Amino acid sequence: MLSYYNRYADLRSAFGTSSWKPFYFHYVECGKLEGRVAIGCDKLIDYVSSRSGADYASIYDGEYYLVNNPDLERFATVTIGLVSVVDDIRLLSHFVSDGMREGRQASSSFSVASYYNQYPDLRRAFGTSWESYYRHYLECGKAEGRAGSGCGKIEGVIASSDGVDYSAIYDGVYYAEHNVDVAAYASVKAGSDFVLVDSKLLGHFISDGMREGRQASSSFSVASYYNQYPDLRRAFGTSWESYYRHYLECGKAEGRAGVGCDELIPDDNAPSAIMGSSKTSVAQMTAFYNSKGKTYPARHYSSKGAPSIEVFSQLVLEEATAEGVRAEVLFCQAMKETGWLQFGGSVKAEQCNFGGLGATSPTVGGASFENVRKGLRAQVQHLKLYASTDPLVNDCIDPRWDNVISAYGRGCAPNLEDLNGKWAVPGDGYGESIYSMIQQMLTF
């Protein structure tokens, strides 16, 4: 009777699995006369796919369902007498009551994950209510010619929210592929597959991604936008969300580029920029120094190439200009670091170390240089290291060059305030104080 049970789905539907008797009686009374075969079928065939008048064949294949959901084997196996058999009616019942809700795949021709991925209109309508996708395909989708399988990646990812179209700066697939933590956050399980919830992806980008500066499109990089446009840096600083919204609302229409700039473009107009054209002169630097009532240490520097503050200022201008550093930045930083060339700390005047290079504690005096020009050159190179990625013009004599590159990389401090915590540690207000000195000097 096992073979008879396995071979004939109509008899399984009629007699169930309570007893073998109906199968015996049927064969004796009808089956043999009908030419039915009672032996030779040791595997269930023609799994039942209809229930309560509904035909699930387009989304359900009982054998596929059982093989690809091995946890159901015990559930679908029943014992009649001493023989265990697969109850395909019970298996179909599970699919209808639980399998669709759980998003389980029950046919090689229909995958709820694929159907979800391929049709954004259905995602908008059904969200992650998996049963709705099965029923849509069953009742409408197949007749509409929609594909039930073959789509392994989400398509038509939504890019609009609350009337705002973010597509110029956002591509959900790109965002997920390049931000694996976000992909994990926005993924849900559909049967044995994981799919992306595009509304969660976009929601994360709007609430967190822009603020964190995450790249969400191959056509827009906030780092590139920041690097390329000094006017935006002056306006927004490191408020990353502002750059996204500027490109979305103005920048793209203005013809600004959203990608392609890997190196910071110096801002000659930024008041606190380190790189750029000098706005001061030897006379102005000299007058500013003399206004402080300090005595220039000629006894230390006459033999080192700078017998007067005028000559010292001329060397400042020459060395700064050679590397594209603003002379006013170099001069005022030297005055701050040395106490208007009076020193008094661990660094001594005769070291010609005007930037405190290598002076890492009150007892460590740092680097020494053979003359004033070399000391200023090393300081200029150190400033350029922080503020730019351009190559040096003169041979490198900065003893701290490699240390800074290892710690921060080049171009990490384009403006004076960016030196806080880097050139000076902890450095609160360090860059701002130099900027204040510059503003005073430029009035002389």
Side-chain angles (χ1 to χ4, degrees), residues 72-289:
L72 298 181
E73 184 174 356
R74 178 176 294 182
F75 170 82
T77 300
V78 297
T79 301
I80 307 175
L82 299 176
V83 181
S84 294
V85 296
V86 173
D87 187 341
D88 54 344
I89 298 172
R90 181 176 171 84
L91 191 62
L92 175 60
S93 177
H94 180 277
F95 174 68
V96 174
S97 63
D98 297 290
M100 289 194 289
R101 176 176 52 79
E102 295 168 0
R104 296 187 186 232
Q105 188 164 355
S107 169
S108 61
S109 60
F110 184 83
S111 158
V112 74
S114 174
Y115 207 50
Y116 170 93
N117 282 335
Q118 192 162 4
Y119 298 108
D121 61 324
L122 302 186
R123 295 197 300 272
R124 288 193 294 271
F126 305 138
T128 56
S129 172
W130 304 132
E131 184 172 353
S132 300
Y133 292 86
Y134 289 98
R135 296 200 177 279
H136 181 275
Y137 184 74
L138 199 63
E139 298 165 6
C140 314
K142 186 176 182 181
E144 292 171 358
R146 298 200 191 219
S149 61
C151 186
K153 182 184 292 187
I154 193 167
E155 296 182 355
V157 181
I158 62 169
S160 298
S161 177
D162 294 329
V164 179
D165 181 6
Y166 293 92
S167 58
I169 56 173
Y170 174 82
D171 172 346
V173 173
Y174 184 100
Y175 192 48
E177 289 178 348
H178 291 79
N179 297 274
V180 293
D181 58 325
V182 178
Y185 158 78
S187 294
V188 295
K189 199 169 186 182
S192 59
D193 297 310
F194 282 91
V195 295
L196 291 168
V197 180
D198 45 358
S199 59
K200 287 187 73 175
L201 270 178
L202 179 58
H204 183 278
F205 175 68
I206 294 170
S207 64
D208 298 289
M210 289 193 287
R211 176 176 51 80
E212 295 169 358
R214 297 190 186 231
Q215 188 163 355
S217 169
S218 60
S219 60
F220 183 83
S221 158
V222 73
S224 175
Y225 209 50
Y226 172 92
N227 284 339
Q228 191 161 2
Y229 298 109
D231 61 322
L232 302 186
R233 295 200 299 273
R234 290 196 300 273
F236 305 137
T238 56
S239 173
W240 305 128
E241 184 172 353
S242 300
Y243 293 87
Y244 290 97
R245 295 200 177 277
H246 180 274
Y247 184 74
L248 198 63
E249 297 164 8
C250 314
K252 186 176 182 182
E254 293 170 357
R256 298 201 191 220
V259 292
C261 187
D262 296 328
E263 296 186 2
L264 189 78
I265 294 177
D267 183 5
D268 288 349
N269 295 315
S272 63
I274 293 170
M275 306 299 293
S277 301
S278 300
K279 296 178 175 64
T280 190
S281 64
V282 170
Q284 192 172 55
M285 288 184 277
T286 299
F288 187 47
Y289 182 85

Side-chain angles (χ1 to χ4, degrees), residues 383-404:
L383 282 166
K384 188 171 184 177
L385 164 61
Y386 273 111
S388 173
T389 57
D390 292 339
L392 291 175
V393 174
N394 292 309
D395 291 340
C396 183
I397 60 171
D398 173 12
R400 300 285 295 168
W401 183 273
D402 292 335
N403 301 72
V404 171

